[in-house]
Amino acid sequence: RPGSAVKRLNLELNFETRSGRSTPSGAVPSLRDEFYGTGEGRGVSATVGPPTPDERGVIVAPHPSDPTAVTASRSKEARDANPDRLDLDRRELSQCPELIDEHRLRLLNYQHNAITRISRLETVRNLVFLDLYANAVEKIAGLECVPQLRVLMLGRNRIRSIGAGLARLQRLDVLDLHNNEIASTSGLNSLASLRILNLAGNRLVSLGDLGNMTGLHELNARRNEIGDLARRGGARGDLVDPRIF
């Protein structure tokens, strides 16, 4: 189940978990809440007014040498207090900022922004949890530099196809793609380690060939155009009795 999967992952990553609000419906309920709280009231514009740290000591500011980019940084004290986690939700970001001195980062939260492209992850190669829920991402790309990623949250974006952007993520355990515009599962079949997959609320008419995904335990395909999933078991290839709903 998602709960036990996240708890086991949480133990492996040695993160302190917290619970609170519920996440959107799908195969991965409360995944986000297992790792961080509500995050209400942290909206800070990256382009308006002088850069000021938030209550966590984070500063989002214009890039000193590139007027088209922004940076995100923390004081040494704030970074040392929580070196493996950075929350940049509700910042009105249209792009991923350049992360300053965050090489120890393992959890990165970008939810509720307006980011259109996944980028600038080269300095956080140890990342295991990336949350881009509720942005404007159109393409799955830019992830080849984070091959250790275990959880990828891309629900409520503008993704139309999966493509080859996930090919390097051979350790990926949880993938949330609910409420996008995806019409094909092509690009998923190489994820042999994936256990939880949320495809709810897309434009799928078939699950396609997922036969290589032998580790898949739970698949949510609600609110697509597939019809009765119970009668279409053959479309899922050689999957070993996953929970499909």
Side-chain angles (χ1 to χ4, degrees):
R1 295 183 302 166
S4 60
V6 173
K7 288 178 182 177
R8 180 161 59 254
L9 182 60
N10 181 57
L11 289 174
E12 293 172 359
L13 303 182
N14 196 27
F15 284 139
E16 178 182 357
T17 62
R18 291 181 292 171
S19 61
R21 62 193 168 97
S22 60
T23 60
S25 61
V28 285
S30 301
L31 272 176
R32 248 173 252 100
D33 301 342
E34 296 275 355
F35 290 89
Y36 32 78
T38 63
E40 299 298 330
R42 294 207 304 272
V44 178
S45 172
T47 57
V48 178
T52 56
D54 65 8
E55 70 275 13
R56 290 186 172 89
V58 179
I59 297 176
V60 177
H63 196 284
S65 59
D66 184 352
T68 67
V70 294
T71 64
S73 61
R74 295 187 283 181
S75 67
K76 184 178 185 302
E77 293 75 18
R79 192 167 55 248
D80 288 345
N82 206 353
D84 55 7
R85 168 176 160 175
L86 178 60
D87 290 311
L88 291 171
D89 56 312
R90 303 176 191 274
R91 296 289 187 140
E92 301 178 20
L93 295 169
S94 61
Q95 60 178 280
C96 296
E98 180 177 324
L99 303 174
I100 308 299
D101 295 328
E102 293 288 357
H103 59 278
R104 292 181 289 175
L105 205 64
R106 304 186 77 196
L107 183 150
L108 180 56
N109 172 17
Y110 279 138
Q111 62 175 288
H112 293 290
N113 282 292
I115 294 170
T116 59
R117 183 169 66 94
I118 305 171
S119 63
R120 298 192 177 99
L121 297 177
E122 295 81 4
T123 60
V124 288
R125 294 182 179 274
N126 295 320
L127 209 63
V128 294
F129 192 116
L130 177 59
D131 193 344
L132 281 149
Y133 168 75
N135 275 273
V137 175
E138 298 177 352
K139 182 180 180 180
I140 302 177
L143 297 169
E144 60 278 353
C145 52
V146 286
Q148 305 303 314
L149 205 64
R150 302 284 299 280
V151 178
L152 178 59
M153 311 295 277
L154 285 169
R156 293 191 182 276
N157 278 276
R158 300 176 183 174
I159 300 167
R160 295 187 176 184
S161 65
I162 296 169
L166 300 172
R168 296 287 299 275
L169 304 183
Q170 291 303 304
R171 298 192 64 187
L172 197 64
D173 190 65
V174 176
L175 176 60
D176 183 8
L177 292 169
H178 83 279
N179 282 28
N180 278 279
E181 302 171 23
I182 298 169
S184 169
T185 60
S186 177
L188 290 175
N189 204 26
S190 64
L191 301 176
S193 297
L194 196 70
R195 293 186 306 109
I196 298 175
L197 174 60
N198 187 0
L199 291 169
N202 280 282
R203 298 181 178 179
L204 297 171
V205 297
S206 168
L207 290 180
D209 180 13
L210 303 179
N212 288 340
M213 300 177 69
T214 56
L216 195 63
H217 286 191
E218 189 162 311
L219 168 60
N220 183 353
R222 289 191 184 110
R223 294 182 287 110
N224 279 279
E225 301 172 23
I226 301 173
D228 188 350
L229 287 173
R231 297 180 181 178
R232 294 176 179 255
R236 66 196 195 218
D238 298 323
L239 298 180
V240 182
D241 193 26
R243 181 186 175 204
I244 299 180
F245 53 94

